């Protein structure tokens, strides 16, 4: 036999993912944190700095991120970096 009882569940709020926008131009992503227009593709561009202090007694970390769409990454950020140091990115590809 299944016994039921009535319980009071307090309403609460919590932060959940809503959308992702480019910090440069304001464009909105289409699929959560994926900038692709195609559901079978994944395009993720995040500029981040992670600082971590880890000790035997515990630790802490700080993550600073800029979310930037692929267009701004290619047209603004990459060109800016390459113009300052005459450098090229490391590009890794894979096929499966």
């Amino acid at each position: 036999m299944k016994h039921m009882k009535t319980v009071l569940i307090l309403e609460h709020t919590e932060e959940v993912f809503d959308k992702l926008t480019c910090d440069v131009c304001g464009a909105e992503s289409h699929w959560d944190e994926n900038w692709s227009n195609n559901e079978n593709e994944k395009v993720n561009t995040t500029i981040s700095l992670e600082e971590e202090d880890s000790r035997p007694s515990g630790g802490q970390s700080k993550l600073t991120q800029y979310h930037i769409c692929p267009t701004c990454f290619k047209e603004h950020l990459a060109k800016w970096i390459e113009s300052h140091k005459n450098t090229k990115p490391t590009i890794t590809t894979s096929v499966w």
Side-chain angles (χ1 to χ4, degrees):
M1 174 186 297
K2 188 174 189 180
H3 298 268
M4 306 295 284
K5 68 179 179 178
T6 303
V7 296
L8 175 63
I9 300 175
L10 298 175
E11 292 185 28
H12 70 281
T13 61
E14 63 183 70
E15 286 191 20
V16 296
F17 182 82
D18 181 29
K19 62 183 176 181
L20 183 69
T21 58
C22 177
D23 290 325
V24 177
C25 72
E28 190 172 316
S29 70
H30 298 281
W31 310 95
D32 295 336
E33 295 189 39
N34 183 0
W35 290 102
S36 176
N37 293 325
N38 183 335
E39 64 182 308
N40 297 319
E41 296 176 350
K42 181 178 179 183
V43 179
N44 181 325
T45 52
T46 302
I47 312 308
S48 62
L49 168 65
E50 183 173 7
E51 300 168 284
E52 186 176 294
D53 181 21
S54 182
R55 300 169 191 267
S57 61
Q60 63 183 13
S61 67
K62 178 181 175 183
L63 180 62
T64 304
Q65 293 182 311
Y66 292 99
H67 298 282
I68 184 168
C69 71
T71 301
C72 288
F73 182 93
K74 293 173 186 175
E75 297 299 319
H76 300 294
L77 182 63
K79 288 182 179 179
W80 179 82
I81 292 171
E82 290 174 13
S83 72
H84 280 73
K85 289 291 184 178
N86 194 23
T87 186
K88 297 292 180 194
T90 301
I91 298 175
T92 305
T93 61
S94 60
V95 178
W96 60 93

